[in-house]
Amino acid sequence: MGTSISSWENVGAYFTFADNPLALGLFTVGAAAIIVGLIISIAKHENEAFEKIEK
């Protein structure tokens, strides 16, 4: 990064990797993968639960 803050006064926000497109892309892909995995896991669980109820 090469920058440092010597005083936190008047700092509204501090972004650690907002100027790095690669890091933002990796973060976005990682977050999307987690969400998709969660949705798939929930759907699998629901399908298995409904199969147990119908038997």
Side-chain angles (χ1 to χ4, degrees), residues 1-43:
M1 285 185 344
T3 61
S4 64
I5 294 177
S6 58
S7 172
W8 288 100
E9 294 179 21
N10 299 323
V11 175
Y14 181 71
F15 300 100
T16 56
F17 55 85
D19 62 343
N20 187 345
L22 179 63
L24 289 174
L26 289 174
F27 179 80
T28 302
V29 169
I34 290 170
I35 292 169
V36 169
L38 182 62
I39 291 170
I40 291 170
S41 175
I42 291 169

